Amino acid sequence: MDEKTTIKYLQNYIKQKDYHPELLKDYFFKLSEEVGELSRAMRKEMKASNVRQVKGTIDEELWDIIYYTIAIANIYDVDLEQVIKTKEALNQSKYPSAVIFEENR
């Protein structure tokens, strides 16, 4: 393994582990809850001191938000890698930047 985790891998991993379309509202409620937990962790400047001690930290809450976002995307069959490319192209035309999104990276 090259130690890189792709969005495609995460989508497949989460779909295999936790795919329950009947829980869509619950996934959304969890996502909302995790945003609140991130807010609290940020307010308290709770950054993980190392990769093994993330409980209650900004680091953990960001992952939880990503997790539930991907779980919701899976239910709607959204290819996040594709939508990122499409949305970044729209953003570049609307908000031009010298920093260009490079596909397949």
Side-chain angles (χ1 to χ4, degrees), residues 25-104:
K25 278 203 267 188
D26 296 300
Y27 289 147
F28 181 74
F29 293 151
K30 283 297 294 177
L31 174 61
S32 299
E33 181 181 321
E34 298 301 342
V35 169
E37 291 175 8
L38 173 62
S39 176
R40 184 187 67 243
M42 288 173 61
R43 188 171 35 82
K44 294 182 177 185
E45 299 279 331
M46 298 173 71
K47 181 80 176 88
S49 58
N50 67 59
V51 296
R52 300 213 186 280
Q53 296 179 340
V54 298
K55 190 71 181 152
T57 65
I58 293 166
D59 312 59
E60 178 187 34
E61 304 313 337
L62 285 169
W63 165 244
D64 290 344
I65 289 167
I66 291 167
Y67 182 97
Y68 286 107
T69 299
I70 290 173
I72 292 168
N74 284 342
I75 290 172
Y76 285 106
D77 199 28
V78 172
D79 179 342
L80 286 172
E81 285 192 346
Q82 184 56 53
V83 81
I84 288 167
K85 294 173 188 176
T86 302
K87 182 60 177 152
E88 280 306 306
L90 290 171
N91 288 348
Q92 181 64 19
S93 66
K94 192 172 182 178
Y95 309 105
S97 170
V99 179
I100 304 298
F101 180 79
E102 296 180 44
E103 292 188 33
N104 303 316

Coordinates of all heavy atoms in Angstrom, one line a residue, residues 25-104:
K25 N -32.1 9.6 7.3 CA -32.3 10.7 8.3 C -31.4 10.6 9.5 O -30.9 11.6 10.0 CB -33.8 10.7 8.8 CG -34.7 11.4 7.8 CD -36.0 11.9 8.5 CE -37.0 10.9 8.4 NZ -38.3 11.4 8.9
D26 N -31.2 9.4 10.0 CA -30.3 9.2 11.1 C -28.8 9.6 10.7 O -28.1 10.2 11.5 CB -30.3 7.7 11.6 CG -31.7 7.3 12.1 OD1 -32.1 8.0 13.1 OD2 -32.3 6.4 11.5
Y27 N -28.4 9.2 9.5 CA -27.1 9.6 9.1 C -27.0 11.2 9.1 O -26.0 11.7 9.5 CB -26.8 9.1 7.7 CG -26.5 7.6 7.5 CD1 -26.9 7.0 6.4 CD2 -25.9 6.9 8.5 CE1 -26.6 5.6 6.2 CE2 -25.7 5.6 8.4 CZ -26.0 4.9 7.3 OH -25.8 3.6 7.1
F28 N -28.0 11.8 8.6 CA -28.0 13.3 8.6 C -28.0 13.9 10.0 O -27.3 14.8 10.3 CB -29.2 13.8 7.8 CG -29.2 15.3 7.7 CD1 -28.3 16.0 6.9 CD2 -30.0 16.1 8.5 CE1 -28.2 17.4 6.9 CE2 -30.0 17.5 8.5 CZ -29.1 18.1 7.7
F29 N -28.8 13.3 10.9 CA -28.8 13.8 12.3 C -27.4 13.6 12.9 O -26.9 14.4 13.6 CB -29.8 13.0 13.1 CG -31.3 13.3 12.7 CD1 -32.2 12.4 12.9 CD2 -31.6 14.6 12.2 CE1 -33.6 12.7 12.6 CE2 -32.9 14.8 11.8 CZ -33.9 13.9 12.0
K30 N -26.8 12.4 12.6 CA -25.4 12.2 13.1 C -24.4 13.2 12.5 O -23.6 13.7 13.2 CB -24.9 10.8 12.8 CG -25.5 9.7 13.7 CD -25.1 9.9 15.1 CE -23.6 9.7 15.3 NZ -23.2 9.9 16.7
L31 N -24.6 13.5 11.2 CA -23.7 14.5 10.6 C -23.9 15.8 11.3 O -22.9 16.5 11.7 CB -24.0 14.6 9.1 CG -23.3 15.7 8.4 CD1 -21.8 15.5 8.4 CD2 -23.8 15.8 6.9
S32 N -25.1 16.2 11.5 CA -25.3 17.5 12.2 C -24.8 17.5 13.6 O -24.2 18.5 14.1 CB -26.9 17.8 12.3 OG -27.4 17.9 11.0
E33 N -24.9 16.4 14.3 CA -24.4 16.2 15.7 C -22.8 16.4 15.7 O -22.2 17.0 16.5 CB -24.8 14.9 16.2 CG -24.3 14.6 17.6 CD -24.8 13.2 18.1 OE1 -25.9 12.8 17.8 OE2 -24.0 12.5 18.8
E34 N -22.2 15.7 14.7 CA -20.7 15.8 14.6 C -20.2 17.2 14.3 O -19.2 17.6 14.8 CB -20.2 14.8 13.6 CG -20.6 13.3 13.9 CD -20.0 12.8 15.2 OE1 -19.1 13.4 15.7 OE2 -20.5 11.8 15.6
V35 N -21.0 18.0 13.5 CA -20.6 19.4 13.3 C -20.6 20.1 14.6 O -19.7 20.9 14.9 CB -21.5 20.0 12.2 CG1 -21.3 21.5 12.2 CG2 -21.3 19.4 10.9
G36 N -21.6 19.9 15.4 CA -21.6 20.5 16.8 C -20.5 20.1 17.6 O -19.8 20.9 18.3
E37 N -20.1 18.8 17.6 CA -19.0 18.3 18.3 C -17.7 18.9 17.8 O -16.8 19.2 18.6 CB -18.9 16.8 18.3 CG -20.1 16.2 19.1 CD -20.1 14.7 19.0 OE1 -19.2 14.0 18.5 OE2 -21.1 14.1 19.5
L38 N -17.6 19.1 16.5 CA -16.4 19.8 15.9 C -16.3 21.2 16.4 O -15.2 21.7 16.8 CB -16.4 19.8 14.4 CG -15.3 20.6 13.7 CD1 -13.9 20.1 14.0 CD2 -15.6 20.6 12.2
S39 N -17.4 21.9 16.5 CA -17.5 23.3 17.0 C -16.9 23.3 18.4 O -16.1 24.2 18.7 CB -18.9 23.8 16.9 OG -19.0 25.1 17.5
R40 N -17.4 22.4 19.3 CA -16.9 22.4 20.6 C -15.4 22.1 20.7 O -14.7 22.8 21.4 CB -17.7 21.3 21.4 CG -17.3 21.3 22.9 CD -17.9 20.2 23.7 NE -17.3 18.9 23.3 CZ -18.0 17.9 22.7 NH1 -19.3 18.0 22.5 NH2 -17.4 16.8 22.3
A41 N -14.9 21.1 19.9 CA -13.5 20.8 19.9 C -12.7 22.0 19.4 O -11.6 22.3 20.0 CB -13.2 19.6 19.1
M42 N -13.2 22.7 18.4 CA -12.4 23.9 17.9 C -12.4 25.0 19.0 O -11.4 25.6 19.2 CB -13.1 24.4 16.6 CG -12.9 23.5 15.4 SD -13.8 24.0 14.0 CE -13.2 25.6 13.7
R43 N -13.5 25.2 19.6 CA -13.6 26.3 20.6 C -12.6 26.0 21.7 O -12.0 26.9 22.3 CB -15.0 26.4 21.2 CG -15.3 27.5 22.1 CD -16.7 27.7 22.5 NE -17.5 26.5 22.6 CZ -17.5 25.7 23.7 NH1 -16.8 26.0 24.8 NH2 -18.3 24.6 23.8
K44 N -12.4 24.7 22.1 CA -11.5 24.4 23.1 C -10.1 24.1 22.6 O -9.2 23.6 23.4 CB -12.1 23.1 23.9 CG -13.4 23.4 24.6 CD -13.9 22.2 25.4 CE -15.1 22.6 26.1 NZ -15.6 21.4 27.0
E45 N -9.9 24.3 21.3 CA -8.5 24.0 20.7 C -8.0 22.6 21.0 O -6.9 22.4 21.3 CB -7.5 25.0 21.2 CG -7.8 26.5 20.9 CD -7.4 26.9 19.5 OE1 -6.5 26.3 19.0 OE2 -8.1 27.8 19.0
M46 N -8.9 21.6 20.9 CA -8.6 20.2 21.2 C -8.0 19.5 20.0 O -8.8 18.9 19.2 CB -9.8 19.5 21.7 CG -10.4 20.2 23.0 SD -11.9 19.5 23.6 CE -11.4 17.9 24.1
K47 N -6.7 19.6 19.8 CA -6.0 19.0 18.7 C -5.4 17.7 19.2 O -4.8 17.7 20.3 CB -5.0 20.0 18.1 CG -4.2 19.5 17.0 CD -5.0 19.6 15.7 CE -4.2 19.2 14.5 NZ -4.2 17.8 14.1
A48 N -5.4 16.7 18.5 CA -4.8 15.4 18.9 C -3.3 15.6 19.1 O -2.6 16.2 18.3 CB -5.0 14.3 17.9
S49 N -2.8 15.1 20.2 CA -1.3 15.2 20.5 C -0.6 14.1 19.7 O 0.6 14.3 19.5 CB -1.1 15.0 22.0 OG -1.6 13.8 22.5
N50 N -1.2 13.0 19.4 CA -0.6 12.0 18.5 C -1.7 11.3 17.8 O -2.9 11.4 18.1 CB 0.3 11.1 19.2 CG -0.4 10.2 20.2 OD1 -1.2 9.5 19.9 ND2 0.0 10.4 21.5
V51 N -1.4 10.5 16.8 CA -2.4 9.8 16.0 C -3.2 8.8 16.7 O -4.3 8.3 16.3 CB -1.8 9.1 14.7 CG1 -1.2 10.2 13.8 CG2 -0.7 8.1 15.1
R52 N -2.8 8.4 17.9 CA -3.5 7.3 18.7 C -4.4 7.9 19.7 O -5.2 7.2 20.4 CB -2.5 6.4 19.3 CG -1.6 5.7 18.3 CD -1.3 4.3 18.8 NE -0.4 3.6 18.0 CZ -0.7 3.0 16.8 NH1 -1.9 3.0 16.4 NH2 0.2 2.3 16.1
Q53 N -4.3 9.2 20.0 CA -5.2 9.9 21.0 C -6.0 11.0 20.4 O -5.8 12.1 20.5 CB -4.3 10.5 22.1 CG -3.5 9.4 22.8 CD -2.6 10.0 23.9 OE1 -2.3 11.2 23.9 NE2 -2.2 9.2 24.9
V54 N -7.1 10.5 19.7 CA -7.9 11.5 18.9 C -9.3 11.7 19.6 O -10.0 12.6 19.2 CB -8.1 11.0 17.5 CG1 -6.8 11.0 16.7 CG2 -8.8 9.7 17.4
K55 N -9.6 10.9 20.6 CA -11.0 11.0 21.2 C -11.3 12.4 21.6 O -10.6 13.0 22.4 CB -11.0 10.0 22.4 CG -12.4 9.9 22.9 CD -13.3 9.1 22.0 CE -14.7 8.9 22.5 NZ -15.6 8.8 21.5
G56 N -12.4 12.9 21.1 CA -12.9 14.2 21.4 C -12.1 15.4 20.8 O -12.3 16.5 21.2
T57 N -11.3 15.1 19.9 CA -10.5 16.2 19.3 C -11.0 16.6 17.9 O -11.9 16.0 17.3 CB -9.0 15.7 19.0 OG1 -9.1 14.6 18.0 CG2 -8.4 15.2 20.3
I58 N -10.5 17.7 17.4 CA -10.8 18.2 16.1 C -10.6 17.1 15.1 O -11.4 16.9 14.2 CB -10.0 19.5 15.8 CG1 -10.4 20.6 16.7 CG2 -10.1 19.9 14.3 CD1 -9.4 21.8 16.7
D59 N -9.5 16.4 15.2 CA -9.1 15.4 14.3 C -10.3 14.3 14.2 O -10.7 14.0 13.1 CB -7.9 14.7 14.8 CG -6.7 15.6 15.1 OD1 -7.0 16.5 16.0 OD2 -5.7 15.6 14.5
E60 N -10.7 13.8 15.3 CA -11.8 12.8 15.4 C -13.1 13.4 14.8 O -13.7 12.7 14.0 CB -12.1 12.4 16.8 CG -13.2 11.4 16.9 CD -13.6 11.0 18.3 OE1 -13.5 11.9 19.2 OE2 -14.0 9.8 18.5
E61 N -13.4 14.6 15.1 CA -14.7 15.1 14.7 C -14.7 15.4 13.2 O -15.7 15.2 12.5 CB -15.1 16.4 15.4 CG -15.1 16.2 17.0 CD -15.9 15.0 17.5 OE1 -16.8 14.5 16.7 OE2 -15.7 14.6 18.6
L62 N -13.6 15.8 12.6 CA -13.5 15.9 11.2 C -13.7 14.6 10.5 O -14.4 14.5 9.5 CB -12.1 16.5 10.8 CG -12.0 18.0 11.0 CD1 -10.5 18.5 10.9 CD2 -12.9 18.8 10.2
W63 N -13.1 13.5 11.0 CA -13.3 12.2 10.4 C -14.8 11.8 10.5 O -15.4 11.3 9.5 CB -12.4 11.1 11.0 CG -12.9 9.8 10.6 CD1 -13.4 8.8 11.5 CD2 -13.1 9.2 9.3 NE1 -13.8 7.7 10.8 CE2 -13.6 7.9 9.4 CE3 -12.8 9.7 8.1 CZ2 -13.9 7.1 8.4 CZ3 -13.0 8.8 7.0 CH2 -13.6 7.6 7.1
D64 N -15.4 12.1 11.6 CA -16.8 11.7 11.8 C -17.7 12.4 10.7 O -18.6 11.8 10.2 CB -17.3 12.0 13.2 CG -16.7 11.1 14.2 OD1 -16.1 10.0 13.9 OD2 -16.8 11.4 15.4
I65 N -17.4 13.7 10.5 CA -18.1 14.5 9.5 C -17.9 13.9 8.1 O -18.8 13.7 7.3 CB -17.7 16.0 9.5 CG1 -18.3 16.6 10.8 CG2 -18.2 16.7 8.3 CD1 -17.7 17.9 11.2
I66 N -16.7 13.6 7.8 CA -16.4 12.9 6.5 C -17.1 11.6 6.3 O -17.7 11.3 5.3 CB -14.8 12.8 6.3 CG1 -14.2 14.1 6.1 CG2 -14.5 11.9 5.1 CD1 -12.7 14.1 6.2
Y67 N -17.1 10.8 7.4 CA -17.7 9.5 7.4 C -19.2 9.6 7.0 O -19.7 9.0 6.1 CB -17.6 8.8 8.8 CG -18.2 7.4 8.8 CD1 -17.4 6.3 8.6 CD2 -19.5 7.3 9.1 CE1 -17.9 5.0 8.6 CE2 -20.1 6.0 9.1 CZ -19.3 4.9 8.9 OH -19.8 3.6 8.9
Y68 N -19.9 10.5 7.8 CA -21.4 10.6 7.6 C -21.7 11.3 6.2 O -22.7 11.0 5.6 CB -22.1 11.2 8.7 CG -22.2 10.3 9.9 CD1 -21.4 10.4 11.0 CD2 -23.0 9.2 9.8 CE1 -21.4 9.5 12.0 CE2 -23.0 8.2 10.9 CZ -22.2 8.4 12.0 OH -22.2 7.5 13.0
T69 N -20.9 12.2 5.8 CA -21.0 12.8 4.5 C -20.9 11.7 3.4 O -21.8 11.7 2.5 CB -20.0 13.9 4.2 OG1 -20.1 14.9 5.2 CG2 -20.1 14.5 2.8
I70 N -19.9 10.9 3.5 CA -19.8 9.8 2.5 C -20.9 8.8 2.6 O -21.4 8.3 1.6 CB -18.4 9.1 2.7 CG1 -17.3 10.0 2.3 CG2 -18.3 7.8 1.9 CD1 -15.9 9.5 2.6
A71 N -21.4 8.5 3.8 CA -22.5 7.5 4.0 C -23.8 8.1 3.3 O -24.5 7.3 2.6 CB -22.8 7.3 5.5
I72 N -24.0 9.4 3.4 CA -25.1 10.0 2.7 C -24.9 10.0 1.2 O -25.8 9.7 0.4 CB -25.4 11.4 3.2 CG1 -25.8 11.4 4.7 CG2 -26.3 12.2 2.3 CD1 -25.8 12.7 5.4
A73 N -23.7 10.3 0.7 CA -23.4 10.3 -0.7 C -23.6 8.9 -1.3 O -24.2 8.7 -2.4 CB -21.9 10.7 -0.9
N74 N -23.3 7.8 -0.5 CA -23.5 6.5 -1.0 C -25.0 6.2 -1.2 O -25.4 5.5 -2.1 CB -22.9 5.5 0.0 CG -21.4 5.4 -0.1 OD1 -20.8 5.8 -1.1 ND2 -20.7 4.9 0.9
I75 N -25.8 6.6 -0.3 CA -27.2 6.4 -0.4 C -27.8 7.0 -1.7 O -28.6 6.4 -2.3 CB -28.0 6.9 0.9 CG1 -27.6 6.0 2.1 CG2 -29.5 6.9 0.6 CD1 -28.2 6.4 3.4
Y76 N -27.3 8.2 -2.0 CA -27.7 8.9 -3.2 C -26.9 8.5 -4.4 O -27.1 9.0 -5.5 CB -27.7 10.4 -3.0 CG -28.8 10.9 -2.1 CD1 -28.6 11.3 -0.8 CD2 -30.1 11.0 -2.6 CE1 -29.6 11.8 0.0 CE2 -31.1 11.5 -1.8 CZ -30.9 11.9 -0.5 OH -31.9 12.4 0.3
D77 N -26.0 7.5 -4.3 CA -25.2 7.1 -5.4 C -24.4 8.2 -6.0 O -24.3 8.3 -7.2 CB -26.0 6.3 -6.4 CG -25.2 5.4 -7.3 OD1 -24.1 4.9 -6.8 OD2 -25.6 5.2 -8.4
V78 N -23.9 9.1 -5.2 CA -23.0 10.2 -5.7 C -21.6 9.7 -5.7 O -21.0 9.3 -4.7 CB -23.2 11.4 -4.7 CG1 -22.2 12.5 -5.1 CG2 -24.6 11.9 -4.7
D79 N -21.0 9.9 -6.9 CA -19.6 9.6 -7.0 C -18.8 10.9 -6.6 O -18.7 11.8 -7.4 CB -19.3 9.2 -8.5 CG -17.8 9.0 -8.8 OD1 -16.9 9.3 -8.0 OD2 -17.5 8.4 -9.9
L80 N -18.3 10.9 -5.4 CA -17.7 12.1 -4.9 C -16.4 12.5 -5.6 O -16.2 13.7 -5.8 CB -17.4 11.9 -3.4 CG -18.6 11.9 -2.5 CD1 -18.2 11.6 -1.0 CD2 -19.2 13.3 -2.5
E81 N -15.7 11.5 -6.1 CA -14.5 11.9 -6.9 C -14.9 12.7 -8.2 O -14.3 13.7 -8.5 CB -13.6 10.7 -7.3 CG -12.9 10.2 -6.1 CD -11.8 9.1 -6.4 OE1 -11.8 8.6 -7.5 OE2 -11.0 8.9 -5.5
Q82 N -16.0 12.2 -8.8 CA -16.4 12.9 -10.0 C -17.0 14.3 -9.7 O -16.7 15.3 -10.3 CB -17.4 12.1 -10.8 CG -17.9 12.7 -12.1 CD -16.7 13.0 -13.0 OE1 -15.9 12.1 -13.3 NE2 -16.6 14.2 -13.4
V83 N -17.8 14.4 -8.6 CA -18.5 15.6 -8.3 C -17.4 16.7 -7.9 O -17.6 17.9 -8.1 CB -19.6 15.5 -7.3 CG1 -19.1 15.3 -5.9 CG2 -20.6 16.6 -7.4
I84 N -16.4 16.2 -7.2 CA -15.3 17.1 -6.8 C -14.7 17.8 -8.1 O -14.5 19.0 -8.1 CB -14.2 16.4 -6.0 CG1 -14.7 16.1 -4.6 CG2 -12.9 17.2 -5.9 CD1 -13.9 15.1 -3.8
K85 N -14.4 17.0 -9.1 CA -13.8 17.5 -10.3 C -14.8 18.5 -11.0 O -14.4 19.6 -11.4 CB -13.5 16.3 -11.3 CG -12.4 15.4 -10.8 CD -12.3 14.2 -11.8 CE -11.4 13.2 -11.2 NZ -11.3 12.0 -12.0
T86 N -16.0 18.1 -11.1 CA -17.0 19.0 -11.7 C -17.2 20.3 -11.0 O -17.2 21.4 -11.5 CB -18.4 18.2 -11.8 OG1 -18.2 17.0 -12.5 CG2 -19.5 19.1 -12.4
K87 N -17.3 20.2 -9.6 CA -17.5 21.4 -8.8 C -16.3 22.3 -8.8 O -16.4 23.5 -8.9 CB -17.9 21.0 -7.4 CG -18.2 22.1 -6.5 CD -19.3 22.9 -6.9 CE -19.6 24.0 -5.9 NZ -20.2 25.2 -6.4
E88 N -15.1 21.7 -8.8 CA -13.9 22.5 -8.9 C -13.8 23.3 -10.2 O -13.3 24.4 -10.2 CB -12.7 21.7 -8.6 CG -12.4 21.4 -7.1 CD -12.4 22.7 -6.3 OE1 -11.6 23.6 -6.6 OE2 -13.2 22.8 -5.3
A89 N -14.2 22.7 -11.3 CA -14.2 23.3 -12.6 C -15.2 24.5 -12.6 O -14.9 25.6 -13.0 CB -14.6 22.4 -13.7
L90 N -16.4 24.3 -12.0 CA -17.3 25.4 -11.8 C -16.8 26.5 -10.9 O -16.9 27.7 -11.2 CB -18.6 24.9 -11.2 CG -19.5 24.0 -12.1 CD1 -20.6 23.4 -11.3 CD2 -20.0 24.8 -13.3
N91 N -16.1 26.1 -9.8 CA -15.5 27.1 -8.9 C -14.5 27.9 -9.6 O -14.3 29.1 -9.4 CB -15.0 26.4 -7.7 CG -16.0 25.9 -6.7 OD1 -17.2 26.2 -6.9 ND2 -15.6 25.1 -5.8
Q92 N -13.6 27.2 -10.4 CA -12.5 27.9 -11.1 C -13.1 29.0 -12.1 O -12.5 30.1 -12.2 CB -11.6 26.9 -11.8 CG -10.5 27.5 -12.6 CD -9.5 28.2 -11.6 OE1 -9.4 28.0 -10.4 NE2 -8.6 29.1 -12.2
S93 N -14.2 28.7 -12.7 CA -14.8 29.6 -13.7 C -15.4 30.8 -12.9 O -15.4 31.9 -13.4 CB -15.8 29.0 -14.6 OG -16.9 28.5 -13.9
K94 N -16.0 30.5 -11.8 CA -16.7 31.5 -11.0 C -15.7 32.4 -10.1 O -15.9 33.6 -10.0 CB -17.7 30.9 -10.1 CG -18.7 31.8 -9.4 CD -19.8 31.1 -8.7 CE -20.8 32.0 -8.1 NZ -21.9 31.3 -7.5
Y95 N -14.7 31.7 -9.6 CA -13.7 32.3 -8.7 C -12.3 31.9 -9.2 O -11.7 31.1 -8.6 CB -13.9 31.8 -7.2 CG -15.3 32.0 -6.7 CD1 -16.1 30.8 -6.6 CD2 -15.8 33.2 -6.4 CE1 -17.4 30.9 -6.1 CE2 -17.1 33.3 -5.9 CZ -17.9 32.2 -5.8 OH -19.2 32.3 -5.3
P96 N -11.8 32.6 -10.3 CA -10.6 32.2 -10.8 C -9.4 32.2 -9.8 O -9.4 33.1 -9.0 CB -10.3 33.2 -12.0 CG -11.7 33.7 -12.3 CD -12.5 33.6 -11.0
S97 N -8.6 31.3 -9.9 CA -7.4 31.2 -9.0 C -6.2 30.7 -9.7 O -6.3 29.9 -10.7 CB -7.8 30.2 -7.9 OG -6.6 29.9 -7.1
A98 N -5.0 31.1 -9.3 CA -3.8 30.6 -9.9 C -3.5 29.2 -9.5 O -2.8 28.5 -10.1 CB -2.6 31.5 -9.4
V99 N -4.2 28.7 -8.4 CA -4.1 27.4 -8.0 C -5.1 26.5 -8.7 O -6.3 26.7 -8.6 CB -4.3 27.2 -6.4 CG1 -4.2 25.8 -6.0 CG2 -3.3 28.1 -5.7
I100 N -4.6 25.6 -9.5 CA -5.5 24.8 -10.4 C -5.6 23.4 -9.8 O -4.6 22.8 -9.4 CB -4.9 24.7 -11.8 CG1 -4.6 26.1 -12.4 CG2 -5.7 23.9 -12.7 CD1 -5.9 26.9 -12.6
F101 N -6.9 22.9 -9.8 CA -7.1 21.6 -9.3 C -6.6 20.6 -10.4 O -6.9 20.7 -11.6 CB -8.6 21.4 -9.2 CG -9.0 20.0 -8.7 CD1 -8.9 19.6 -7.4 CD2 -9.5 19.0 -9.6 CE1 -9.2 18.4 -7.0 CE2 -9.8 17.8 -9.2 CZ -9.7 17.4 -7.9
E102 N -5.8 19.7 -9.9 CA -5.2 18.7 -10.8 C -5.9 17.4 -10.6 O -5.9 16.8 -9.5 CB -3.7 18.5 -10.5 CG -2.8 19.7 -10.7 CD -1.4 19.5 -10.4 OE1 -0.8 18.5 -10.8 OE2 -0.8 20.4 -9.7
E103 N -6.5 16.9 -11.7 CA -7.2 15.6 -11.6 C -6.2 14.5 -11.5 O -5.0 14.6 -11.8 CB -8.0 15.4 -12.9 CG -9.2 16.4 -13.0 CD -10.1 16.1 -14.1 OE1 -10.3 14.9 -14.5 OE2 -10.7 17.1 -14.7
N104 N -6.8 13.3 -11.0 CA -6.0 12.1 -10.9 C -4.8 12.3 -10.0 O -3.7 11.7 -10.2 CB -5.6 11.6 -12.2 CG -6.8 11.3 -13.1 OD1 -7.8 10.8 -12.7 ND2 -6.7 11.8 -14.4

